[in-house]
Amino acid sequence: MDHVTSRPSAPDADRHAWAEPGAEDLGGGLHRIPLPLPGDALKAVNVYAIAGDDGVHLIDAGMALVQARERLTAELGLLGYGLGDIRNFFITHIHQDHYTLAVELRTSLRGQIALGEGERVNMEAIRAVAAGQNEPGFIQMLHGMGADELAEQIRGFMGPRLARPLPRLEWSDPDRWLADGAVLELPSRTLRAIHTPGHTQGHVVFHDDAGAALFAGDHVLPHITPSIGFQPSITRTALHDYLGSLRLMLALPDARLLPAHGPVCESTHDRVNELLAHHETRLEQTLDAASGDQVTAYQAANAIPWTRRQRKFADLDPMSQLLAVGETAAHLEVLVVRGELTRHTSAEGIDTYSLPE
Ligand SMILES: [Zn+2]
């Protein structure tokens, strides 16, 4: 899924170098293996392999695609392992580019899957969508955001995809639901799962305190701002939660940033501070947009510049508009929590925001 960003960036060639095939040796038996996401603006997802005498442990698994499975097989082979040597899949969150290859591989192999327990609610919501019982929450929510027309457009081209039943296999439960603070003792290092809600409700990062490394999943990404709350089960507080989860990273000692999309960076704290500053700027712009007449999230999104090229909302494609409206609503809700705006919900279920009386 595309992410909306407003950060200036390196030239595109450098920007995507991390996604090129081939493992990167990070030392101490740790390897970054980018797996392809064909047709996705994200290009690739990083799987981190922790290799040892007992086998290999993976942080995130990639997407259940033939190309990804073949790439993983080849790269592990170069490290001297087969897929049968995978002991654990430690998954940062439930999105399909992180979770589904683990489920596919588990059917024939013995690796155990662990996922944050906060994702239970999303697992149920995904199954309801897959079974045709529900529309994804991110489409349902558009009504309350004053974006019925956009919802119709999205239904128009997602409809055929939503109607096709997804393989149930991809959404079977993990072997273990991880509680916040769960300690994972591996022969070569100790990881602690830290609940970092925001990108999804049950997102976790894996912190290696002794090794000064943070397996960040999509919580802290070097090039882009992660989409917030783009999940089947929608919560109003997603951005509020996310900002709290970012500040939580500053309470840990600084660590090498090992993101799921993008290159490895030396400082997690530097990037966290950039992301916090980015959202403060967006909060100011959002407050401006709601400081005149009362606005819906859709109207506010129309008044704010988008992407690092400062594009007009109307020029975005419908899926980007969907993310932009959701992101705007998330910022409006943070302003409500802070007491800078009030929300009014109409009898038709449409939320509008304005300055407090
Ligand atoms: Zn991702």
Side-chain angles (χ1 to χ4, degrees):
M1 184 50 57
D2 201 358
H3 297 235
V4 177
T5 174
S6 24
R7 185 165 181 262
S9 66
D12 276 2
D14 298 350
R15 201 177 152 81
H16 297 311
W18 68 273
E20 291 300 315
E24 178 185 3
D25 187 346
L26 299 172
L30 179 63
H31 303 265
R32 182 182 68 84
I33 305 176
L35 298 185
L37 296 174
D40 192 311
L42 290 171
K43 306 280 182 207
V45 57
N46 290 323
V47 170
Y48 292 92
I50 300 170
D53 295 339
D54 63 320
V56 62
H57 307 268
L58 300 185
I59 312 283
D60 282 328
M63 184 129 154
L65 295 169
V66 175
Q67 301 98 305
R69 186 187 176 123
E70 286 175 353
R71 170 67 45 198
L72 182 63
T73 307
E75 297 299 341
L76 288 181
L78 291 172
L79 300 176
Y81 299 97
L83 293 178
D85 295 318
I86 300 171
R87 291 289 169 275
N88 287 290
F89 300 94
F90 299 123
I91 309 296
T92 58
H93 65 293
I94 199 168
H95 282 162
Q96 59 183 356
D97 52 326
H98 300 256
Y99 187 66
T100 53
L101 186 56
V103 176
E104 184 187 299
L105 292 176
R106 180 179 59 175
T107 59
S108 52
L109 304 163
R110 57 183 171 155
Q112 300 274 303
I113 303 176
L115 182 69
E117 65 184 2
E119 298 291 46
R120 280 179 199 269
V121 56
N122 278 320
M123 186 69 84
E124 280 159 28
I126 286 173
R127 288 196 188 125
V129 171
Q133 293 160 352
N134 255 335
E135 272 193 314
F138 55 80
I139 298 181
Q140 292 179 339
M141 74 183 184
L142 285 170
H143 174 71
M145 295 175 184
D148 280 336
E149 246 177 74
L150 177 60
E152 278 316 306
Q153 271 180 286
I154 304 274
R155 283 188 188 103
F157 71 79
M158 279 194 83
R161 268 169 59 191
L162 292 174
R164 183 171 1 115
L166 299 168
R168 290 197 63 83
L169 146 86
E170 295 185 31
W171 300 113
S172 59
D173 276 346
D175 300 284
R176 178 179 174 192
W177 292 104
L178 293 174
D180 184 26
V183 173
L184 309 165
E185 294 278 3
L186 307 181
S188 62
R189 56 184 80 216
T190 301
L191 304 178
R192 192 160 60 93
I194 302 173
H195 185 212
T196 49
H199 179 64
T200 63
Q201 258 168 280
H203 192 290
V204 293
V205 298
F206 297 102
H207 183 224
D208 173 359
D209 197 7
L214 185 79
F215 298 93
D218 284 2
H219 180 44
V220 183
L221 297 173
H223 288 165
I224 55 179
T225 59
S227 63
I228 300 302
F230 189 80
Q231 58 188 1
S233 165
I234 297 295
T235 48
R236 280 193 194 277
T237 59
L239 181 62
H240 181 72
D241 296 344
Y242 179 67
L243 297 176
S245 297
L246 282 180
R247 284 190 286 268
L248 191 60
M249 299 298 97
L250 298 178
L252 301 172
D254 200 5
R256 197 178 197 191
L257 174 63
L258 305 166
H261 308 283
V264 173
C265 301
E266 283 321 302
S267 169
T268 299
H269 285 187
D270 285 355
R271 183 56 183 148
V272 166
N273 283 317
E274 285 176 4
L275 288 166
L276 286 168
H278 162 83
H279 284 293
E280 284 308 315
T281 303
R282 297 303 279 175
L283 285 163
E284 281 166 27
Q285 291 172 329
T286 308
L287 183 59
D288 273 354
S291 292
D293 290 338
Q294 56 176 20
V295 288
T296 63
Y298 184 75
Q299 289 166 332
N302 266 278
I304 299 173
W306 291 98
T307 81
R308 57 197 151 96
R309 298 184 181 86
Q310 305 284 298
R311 294 169 68 196
K312 283 199 191 113
F313 178 85
D315 296 338
L316 301 176
D317 64 77
M319 280 310 285
S320 297
Q321 287 191 355
L322 168 76
L323 290 170
V325 175
E327 192 173 319
T328 304
H331 283 84
L332 289 164
E333 288 292 333
V334 169
L335 292 164
V336 170
V337 172
R338 289 185 181 180
E340 295 183 58
L341 290 178
T342 49
R343 177 196 335 115
H344 176 258
T345 304
S346 74
E348 294 76 41
I350 295 170
D351 296 325
T352 52
Y353 300 83
S354 56
L355 295 174
E357 297 283 306

